[in-house]
Amino acid sequence: MQVVGGINTGLRKVPAWLVYLAGLGWAAYLFWLGLSNQLGPEPINTLERLYGDVAIKLLILGLAVTPLRKWPGLNLMKFRRAIGLTAFGFVLAHFLVFAILDVQTLERVWTEIVKRPYVTIGMAGFLLLIPLAVTSNNLSVRKLGGAGWRKLHKLTYAAALLGAVHYLWLVKGFQIEPVVYTALIVGLLLTRIKWSRARAVFA
Amino acid sequence: MAYRWKNDLTQADVTPKSMFLNRRQLMGGAAGLGLAAAAGGARAQGALEPNTLEEIRTYNNFYEFGTGKEDPARNAGGMVIDPWSITVDGLVDNPGEYSLASLLDGLTEEERIYRFRCVEAWSMVVPWNGFELADILAKVGVKPEAKYVAFETTVQPDVMIGVQRRVIPFPYVEGLRLDEAMHPLTMLATGIYGEPMAKQNGAPIRLVVPWKYGFKSIKSIVRISLMEEEPPASWNIINPREYGFYSNVNPTVDHPRWSQASERKIGGGLFATRQDTLMFNGYEAEVASLYEGMDLNEFY
């Protein structure tokens, strides 16, 4: 626990805006790699996947903040908003690469969303994240009230699950990454279940 | 029997070696000057310009070596390709285990510049070196009852990370109807750009069927079987709703995962535009007659 305490003390000195800066910097760096032909022969698809991959990792990290504080006692609470908003930024970047660079026309974007279940699901997850991104500020917390705000932000659970299904569905054959991400997300959601209450209901 | 099909492209259209080795550098330089969009556009318009050897060797699907496009180039090095023998069995006059050299002995090697269209909606143009499959089949003697040809890829678990991980069932198998196999466009390729086939491209010998999605063009072949019944095909077994036995390139029959109406040619950079996918991948004049009277929506 001493180690955790030490980390918590150290983290207190780290400003939350560094998360935004790092996210922005990383997104820009990946784009530059694509621009300068360093993402292989098919940079569009690679960039699309890279942005999506960072997005789901950050969503997982965001979901881990509460359990991490509960059990090892690691306090990342002050970074949670920044982690969530940066995750949204990467989902947005992932969508923009898909729409503008990959599929290229509005008509085709619409067709993809309607016809391909894994795109439909990814899109649903993206749409769920929009109200959360919009209300990720102090003013909204005040306006919605703590309880209302927390209720709304439970949508992240659904969004993360949709992201996992989106990934599972789009790969061909058996691939390990989407399975690991899905397991992590499901595991982190299970920590939210209040077992005492669940037992009372099912007993 | 060789030379039954002639390229509408000639040797002069193949990028000189110094150029195809350098183009990435040139593109890189252009991107640095902010000209990537212009360069990408110009390249996309020259639709039948062969891809560079580097592109052809670094963007591959070969699930035996992993599912990432760059995995085969990274992981295929350990595959043993010499000595190589191919078992020819089933409805043939001369069955047996042929060494690669004995199977190809006396046949005429050709260069064929073909479009290559992946079911994932990307494409390349590849200058293959190889032999008409019909010549090889003539050599082993096809019995009159044979209606299909089945192919099988080598399985070398020790050096195939995808096999260890059971990404899909192995060995990878594919098949063609006999008339498809005998078609002048169908070839077994042993090289690209005059260089020996790289392992990640399916060394030492692979099928090339340019009017079908790329997964039909099975790599690193160790068995060719002539049969009366339709043989199994790997992706068709894994997901029959998505992958049919025929898998002809067809912009009007959509795949559940990828629209087949358009494609993106590899090598156009970050701003490459999509191009329309052609019926039978541009070989309609040559192969449409094979499917006369067939409902291509049913036999996809």
Side-chain angles (χ1 to χ4, degrees), chain A residues 42 102 104 115-116 174, chain B residues 167 254-255 257 264 272 274:
Chain A
E42 224 297 30
D102 187 353
Q104 298 179 353
K115 276 185 88 165
R116 324 239 169 260
F174 172 75
Chain B
V167 176
D254 245 359
H255 183 280
R257 286 160 191 261
R264 189 163 51 237
R274 282 181 170 263

Side-chain angles (χ1 to χ4, degrees), chain B residues 13-252:
Chain B
D13 292 306
V14 179
T15 313
K17 202 167 192 175
S18 59
M19 276 285 284
F20 72 67
L21 292 175
N22 280 327
R23 193 154 59 197
R24 184 145 298 277
Q25 260 163 285
L26 294 174
M27 288 285 292
L33 296 167
L35 296 171
R43 251 191 97 178
Q45 276 167 17
L48 263 188
E49 186 188 1
N51 281 87
T52 67
L53 192 58
E54 192 198 331
E55 286 159 359
I56 295 167
R57 286 184 172 176
T58 56
Y59 198 78
N60 309 104
N61 278 326
F62 199 166
Y63 276 19
E64 281 80 344
F65 297 107
T67 51
K69 296 286 180 287
E70 65 290 345
D71 286 345
R74 207 181 287 149
N75 301 332
M79 179 165 65
V80 179
I81 57 167
D82 189 19
W84 191 267
S85 60
I86 298 170
T87 304
V88 181
D89 58 12
L91 302 167
V92 290
D93 299 326
N94 309 306
E97 201 175 309
Y98 290 80
S99 74
L100 186 61
S102 68
L103 192 67
L104 302 177
D105 185 45
L107 302 181
T108 309
E109 189 178 321
E110 292 180 58
E111 181 183 64
R112 297 278 182 91
I113 303 166
Y114 284 159
R115 294 177 200 87
F116 183 91
R117 168 65 154 77
C118 179
V119 72
E120 296 164 351
W122 54 266
S123 66
M124 290 194 189
V125 173
V126 183
W128 303 101
N129 310 101
F131 307 84
E132 282 192 13
L133 177 58
D135 288 354
I136 293 163
L137 293 179
K139 202 165 157 177
V140 299
V142 178
K143 291 196 168 165
E145 316 91 87
K147 294 197 173 65
Y148 294 92
V149 190
F151 305 89
E152 188 181 308
T153 296
T154 182
V155 179
Q156 302 178 13
D158 295 349
V159 293
M160 289 178 159
I161 194 159
V163 173
Q164 292 161 21
R165 291 183 186 159
R166 297 164 197 241
V167 176
I168 53 170
F170 294 107
Y172 192 83
V173 290
E174 259 305 342
L176 295 173
R177 223 168 54 190
L178 188 60
D179 59 345
E180 297 175 325
M182 300 296 280
H183 193 278
L185 283 175
T186 306
M187 65 190 298
L188 287 185
T190 53
I192 294 172
Y193 268 116
E195 307 256 334
M197 188 74 71
K199 289 178 180 175
Q200 60 268 34
N201 293 121
I205 188 161
R206 64 168 293 168
L207 183 67
V208 179
V209 194
W211 72 92
K212 291 175 181 284
Y213 294 119
F215 64 85
K216 292 293 290 183
S217 292
I218 184 170
K219 292 171 169 155
S220 304
I221 297 168
V222 289
R223 181 186 294 270
I224 299 175
S225 313
L226 276 290
M227 18 201 350
E228 205 171 342
E229 304 291 321
E230 186 181 285
S234 280
W235 283 105
N236 179 233
I237 299 167
I238 297 161
N239 198 340
R241 199 177 65 87
E242 297 190 6
Y243 306 92
F245 175 77
Y246 286 93
S247 292
N248 293 317
V249 176
N250 186 340
T252 65

Side-chain angles (χ1 to χ4, degrees), chain A residues 30-49 97-98 100-105 108 111-112 115-119 167-177, chain B residues 24 27-28 31-32 36 54-55 58-59 61 63 67 69 118-120 122 124 165-168 235 238 241-243 254-260 262 264 266-274 276:
Chain A
L30 293 178
F31 191 82
W32 175 79
L33 285 182
L35 212 56
S36 54
N37 277 304
Q38 295 178 71
L39 289 184
E42 224 297 30
I44 299 172
N45 204 276
T46 308
L47 189 65
E48 198 172 326
R49 277 162 183 265
V97 173
F98 156 76
I100 297 170
L101 297 181
D102 187 353
V103 185
Q104 298 179 353
T105 68
R108 283 204 291 249
T111 315
E112 290 291 306
K115 276 185 88 165
R116 324 239 169 260
Y118 70 87
V119 183
Y167 195 2
L168 276 174
W169 204 327
L170 74 88
V171 298
K172 298 196 303 181
F174 172 75
Q175 297 190 28
I176 196 76
E177 290 94 341
Chain B
R24 184 145 298 277
M27 288 285 292
E54 192 198 331
E55 286 159 359
T58 56
Y59 198 78
N61 278 326
Y63 276 19
T67 51
K69 296 286 180 287
C118 179
V119 72
E120 296 164 351
W122 54 266
M124 290 194 189
R165 291 183 186 159
R166 297 164 197 241
V167 176
I168 53 170
W235 283 105
I238 297 161
R241 199 177 65 87
E242 297 190 6
Y243 306 92
D254 245 359
H255 183 280
R257 286 160 191 261
W258 305 279
S259 163
Q260 300 301 9
S262 66
R264 189 163 51 237
I266 297 299
L270 200 53
F271 302 103
T273 51
R274 282 181 170 263
D276 289 338

